[in-house]
Amino acid sequence: MKRGIRAEDLYRLKFVSDPQVSPDGGRVVYTVKRINKEKNYESHLYICSLSSGASVQWTTGSHIDSNPRWSPDGKRIAFVSDRTGKKQIWIISAEGGEAKQLTSSDGGASNPVWSPDGKSLLAAITVKKESDESDRLQPLEVTELQYKADGRGLLKGEYSQLFLIHSETGTQKQLTSGPFDHFDAAWSPNGDRIAYCRSRPADDTVSYASDLVIRQLGGEEKTVSNGTGAFTNPVWSADGEYLAYCGQTFEYGSATLGNLYAVKLDSGETLCLTRNFDEHAGDALIGDMHYGHPAPKPAWSKNGSGLYFIASLNGCSSLHYAALEGKVAQVTKRDCHLYGYTVDAENDFAVFAASSPVIPGDLFYASLSNLAEEVRLTDVNKAVLSEIALSHPEEFRFTNDEGRSVQSWLMKPPRLDEGKKYPLVLEIHGGPHAMYGNTFFHELQLLAASGYIILYSNPRGSFGYGQEFVKACMGDYGGGDYRDLMSALNHALEHYDFIDPEQLVVTGGSYGGFMTNWIIGHTSRFKAAVTQRSISNWLSFYGVSDIGFYFTKWEIGNHLFEDPEKVWHHSPLRLSSRMEAPLLILHGEEDYRCPVEQAEQLFIALKQQDKTVKFVRFPKADHNLSRNGDPGLRVARLQYIVNWFDEQLENVASKGGPTLENTASDRF
């Protein structure tokens, strides 16, 4: 009999990403990531023959190899590896053999891009600001809004610059300079120009704002974008007439749908190819296995009349096609999380990396003109999953108080005993502008295997259902989004008799942590709660988060100094006296997105009122602990969640406690 999944299975699961088809269309190189329990994460290159379907491991060792890119003649593969410490560019023969190190920069190197003639590569190299190299402590002078970033820490004048590197000798020439990060480089077809993205000045009001730039090799640069958003992933058409790219213009802040653009270079005319497509051009689906894989660039069709790209809608991320005249069509139909792809337009096929609720991540082949030819190429978790009984989610929808359909899912224990009632966990995603859906989620599978019903939903504010829906929570945190979540819960209780209405618990991270705090301050339905990397006080979040100085305005509607009363109104900390559910607070000590002081304030407020509360601090962990943090801490975090819910529900059962109200009361 198969067993349920365990927290420790995280050490055994593998994840496939970043497929790249060879120039002759016969092979695909890709990466497989796993966790080495003793040495943290590992990632290796594999090559799959499309004629036989067989894969061969191409690199080995206790290190991370990533970003494989074929040379134009298909004879070599450039990739990034940390095998000598810092990440550097390496090259390996496509026929096998030892890899050769190409760069040895003190700041590390990444994102290799071959020139059309194969003689050179573009790479992003971190250039450090000159400073005293002694070990003594030194002060950091701060003069700009953006002086720290989650996952990077305090910013100390280090910027990513583009270098031209000879593919044989490793000789380097710096092409860009200045206090900006330069990334996503792309060569023009004849190799005389490059396109790339450049971050905005550090005093800009949005930390991830960026421009699209074209530079003549050895000449001047020209900004192509309009300077009002974030633009990424440029790709030239084969004839060099167009430059396509992804981006968003911040019209609705972080709730703005992503779009696909193409600029006609001779006239400067910019076309928004997704102007009539009321969905997000990009991957908005979240899970806990997929963090850090590179976002694939759009891919031009064979005749140059349009591009392939990823779009997110209705709980799925799929491959779509946008014609230059503005018509958009979905290409892949599988209900899944398509997070990576490579297109061979000449031979009419794509290979894509995809996940589903029961597939952590594998490669699939699809004919672009005949989707019936879709074939699975890899099954990297076959051995471990042969031992495990996974839960298959059941989708349902309900109509909210604004007449909108809200997509939700129920995940049951793998073996459901007829006639038995089960406790339910309400899981709430972060963002809030993200999307739950058809992807593998280790945490949800673990809770289901632990005997819980898992309810997860995409309330207003989520991507996947059009622009109006995704911006509907802005300025209204804890209003309509809260009602959507309570309506999802009510629907589940009304339609599934195996749920015990007296054993409800709730958890979520980031925005989901905010909403967990908000929920237990507004209703006593839940017997326990776990809040993760949460927001509790928007007044302090404004000044301590790496994004607080603009995100607060976007999401709440006002800066701290404009309307502090409104900012405080949406702060769960003010509701601490109403919070009765036993609360476990989980937070990373190096979280710069939702800094640990948010957890500290909530813990002290509850503890001083003699509430049942526990605070767990994870050392050296940032906002992405659950996705790419220290593996041991990731496992510990999962165990804390399950154990807290088990213990609190057992306490209630042993005490024969009072029946909690079973209504969606909203005590504003």
Side-chain angles (χ1 to χ4, degrees):
M1 179 181 290
K2 292 185 176 182
R3 61 172 175 83
I5 202 167
R6 300 167 183 155
E8 295 83 1
D9 286 324
L10 187 68
Y11 298 132
R12 302 179 62 195
L13 293 171
K14 299 176 182 178
F15 175 68
V16 171
S17 70
D18 202 12
Q20 300 291 321
V21 67
S22 61
D24 64 2
R27 296 184 289 177
V28 171
V29 62
Y30 60 96
T31 64
V32 178
K33 183 174 73 173
R34 61 179 289 271
I35 293 176
N36 181 323
K37 187 176 181 180
E38 304 302 323
K39 297 183 179 180
N40 217 321
Y41 295 90
E42 289 181 1
S43 176
H44 301 123
L45 308 189
Y46 285 68
I47 292 181
C48 175
S49 167
L50 293 179
S51 59
S52 68
S55 286
V56 177
Q57 185 169 345
W58 220 246
T59 63
T60 60
S62 300
H63 44 255
I64 296 176
D65 297 334
S66 63
N67 294 97
R69 296 296 182 265
W70 296 92
S71 62
D73 61 7
K75 295 181 178 180
R76 294 174 292 172
I77 299 169
F79 65 100
V80 177
S81 179
D82 65 353
R83 59 184 66 194
T84 56
K86 288 278 188 180
K87 291 182 178 180
Q88 304 291 350
I89 308 298
W90 293 68
I91 292 180
I92 191 169
S93 169
E95 302 307 318
E98 293 294 326
K100 171 186 174 183
Q101 184 171 351
L102 194 63
T103 65
S104 9
S105 167
D106 290 341
S110 62
N111 300 315
V113 185
W114 289 93
S115 63
D117 61 9
K119 295 180 180 179
S120 304
L121 295 103
L122 288 172
I125 294 179
T126 300
V127 177
K128 295 184 176 182
K129 181 180 179 181
E130 292 185 9
S131 62
D132 185 347
E133 296 296 333
S134 67
D135 293 331
R136 68 186 183 190
L137 293 175
Q138 299 179 58
L140 174 67
E141 295 183 0
V142 176
T143 59
E144 296 157 340
L145 282 171
Q146 298 173 31
Y147 69 91
K148 59 183 178 180
D150 188 64
R152 295 174 62 185
L154 296 176
L155 305 179
K156 301 178 181 180
E158 300 178 357
Y159 296 98
S160 178
Q161 306 292 350
L162 295 181
F163 283 71
L164 186 65
I165 305 171
H166 193 280
S167 64
E168 292 290 346
T169 65
T171 304
Q172 299 179 3
K173 178 183 178 182
Q174 185 171 340
L175 299 180
T176 63
S177 61
F180 316 102
D181 285 318
H182 300 78
F183 54 97
D184 285 354
W187 289 90
S188 64
N190 63 9
D192 67 334
R193 292 173 291 173
I194 59 173
Y196 53 88
C197 300
R198 182 182 62 199
S199 65
R200 297 269 173 74
D203 59 354
D204 198 284
T205 56
V206 181
S207 65
Y208 60 95
S210 58
D211 291 316
L212 183 63
V213 178
I214 293 178
R215 175 191 287 267
Q216 291 279 346
L217 282 185
E220 296 182 350
E221 64 178 25
K222 176 184 178 182
T223 301
V224 177
S225 55
N226 57 16
T228 60
F231 304 101
T232 61
N233 288 325
V235 56
W236 299 79
S237 61
D239 58 12
E241 292 186 8
Y242 286 93
L243 184 67
Y245 57 98
C246 304
Q248 62 123 307
T249 56
F250 301 143
E251 182 181 0
Y252 303 107
S254 55
T256 309
L257 295 179
N259 281 298
L260 178 63
Y261 299 91
V263 56
K264 191 169 176 58
L265 295 174
D266 60 357
S267 66
E269 178 187 8
T270 298
L271 307 174
C272 180
L273 308 188
T274 49
R275 58 189 177 276
N276 299 318
F277 181 60
D278 189 28
E279 298 295 352
H280 179 61
D283 180 10
L285 230 171
I286 60 171
D288 54 5
M289 296 291 293
H290 312 113
Y291 186 85
H293 64 85
K297 291 189 175 186
W300 284 93
S301 62
K302 181 178 180 179
N303 60 9
S305 62
L307 296 106
Y308 298 95
F309 68 103
I310 291 179
S312 300
L313 60 157
N314 295 312
C316 296
S317 292
S318 309
L319 191 64
H320 284 63
Y321 177 77
L324 289 177
E325 67 266 20
K327 184 178 181 181
V328 177
Q330 185 171 339
V331 177
T332 57
K333 305 298 182 182
R334 176 184 289 263
D335 287 341
C336 69
H337 179 188
L338 189 154
Y339 54 85
Y341 65 88
T342 181
V343 169
D344 187 327
E346 187 68 28
N347 293 303
D348 190 49
F349 72 85
V351 173
F352 59 89
S355 173
S356 77
V358 295
I359 299 175
D362 273 303
L363 292 188
F364 298 80
Y365 168 96
S367 166
L368 294 173
S369 58
N370 181 7
L371 293 178
E373 293 185 19
E374 186 174 301
V375 177
R376 184 171 180 174
L377 296 175
T378 65
D379 192 355
V380 297
N381 291 292
K382 183 177 181 179
V384 62
L385 293 184
S386 67
E387 309 169 4
I388 296 172
L390 294 175
S391 178
H392 294 253
E394 177 180 336
E395 179 187 334
F396 69 87
R397 292 176 181 257
F398 64 91
T399 302
N400 69 10
D401 56 15
E402 290 190 342
R404 294 294 303 264
S405 176
V406 178
Q407 189 177 23
S408 308
W409 292 265
L410 207 70
M411 186 179 283
K412 297 173 283 188
R415 288 179 291 275
L416 199 71
D417 294 337
E418 187 174 349
K420 181 179 177 179
K421 289 188 177 293
Y422 292 82
L424 177 143
V425 180
L426 173 61
E427 279 267 5
I428 308 166
H429 69 62
H433 312 301
M435 182 177 73
Y436 274 143
N438 292 300
T439 194
F440 188 85
F441 219 124
H442 181 218
E443 178 180 328
L444 303 190
Q445 289 285 354
L446 174 65
L447 285 165
S450 301
Y452 290 86
I453 306 296
I454 318 302
L455 170 61
Y456 53 110
S457 182
N458 285 330
R460 68 192 77 179
S462 303
F463 276 126
Y465 313 94
Q467 183 65 79
E468 289 302 311
F469 192 84
V470 74
K471 72 181 183 70
C473 71
M474 299 178 72
D476 187 41
Y477 268 43
D481 48 358
Y482 167 74
R483 296 193 298 274
D484 282 357
L485 290 167
M486 294 302 99
S487 294
L489 178 59
N490 291 338
H491 179 98
L493 291 170
E494 292 168 6
H495 291 83
Y496 300 98
D497 59 7
F498 47 77
I499 301 173
D500 186 344
E502 302 303 323
Q503 294 193 82
L504 307 178
V505 296
V506 58
T507 187
S510 197
Y511 163 82
F514 157 83
M515 186 54 72
T516 297
N517 300 337
W518 187 265
I519 284 173
I520 63 173
H522 282 83
T523 179
S524 56
R525 302 179 80 173
F526 296 90
K527 299 292 181 68
V530 179
T531 185
Q532 308 173 54
R533 57 193 184 279
S534 75
I535 296 173
S536 66
N537 183 358
W538 286 98
L539 289 170
S540 61
F541 176 88
Y542 169 83
V544 298
S545 168
D546 64 341
I547 63 172
F549 57 90
Y550 61 88
F551 191 79
T552 305
K553 173 77 170 182
W554 279 356
E555 300 297 314
I556 302 303
N558 295 92
H559 287 305
L560 165 69
F561 50 80
E562 292 175 334
D563 191 347
E565 288 78 15
K566 179 171 176 57
V567 175
W568 178 240
H569 171 78
H570 292 279
S571 299
L573 186 65
R574 73 175 178 85
L575 307 170
S576 63
S577 64
R578 304 178 184 178
M579 297 179 181
E580 299 301 330
L583 180 65
L584 175 63
I585 303 172
L586 305 179
H587 220 106
E589 291 191 343
E590 295 183 7
D591 188 337
Y592 280 28
R593 184 60 39 87
C594 297
V596 70
E597 60 86 31
Q598 294 287 303
E600 292 171 333
Q601 292 185 70
L602 185 59
F603 172 75
I604 293 300
L606 294 174
K607 193 66 178 177
Q608 193 167 36
Q609 298 174 73
D610 293 324
K611 310 279 188 176
T612 301
V613 59
K614 179 188 286 187
F615 181 19
V616 180
R617 305 169 66 113
F618 294 90
K620 298 183 179 180
D622 61 27
H623 198 63
N624 292 304
L625 167 64
S626 65
R627 298 177 279 260
N628 73 337
D630 175 87
L633 293 182
R634 288 179 65 180
V635 169
R637 170 189 157 274
L638 293 167
Q639 293 169 334
Y640 271 115
I641 295 171
V642 174
N643 291 341
W644 182 259
F645 287 150
D646 287 349
E647 291 168 4
Q648 298 309 317
L649 291 179
E650 287 174 7
N651 288 341
V652 171
S654 64
K655 294 177 182 177
T659 299
L660 300 185
E661 64 180 81
N662 191 28
T663 65
S665 63
D666 192 352
R667 304 176 310 196
F668 279 93

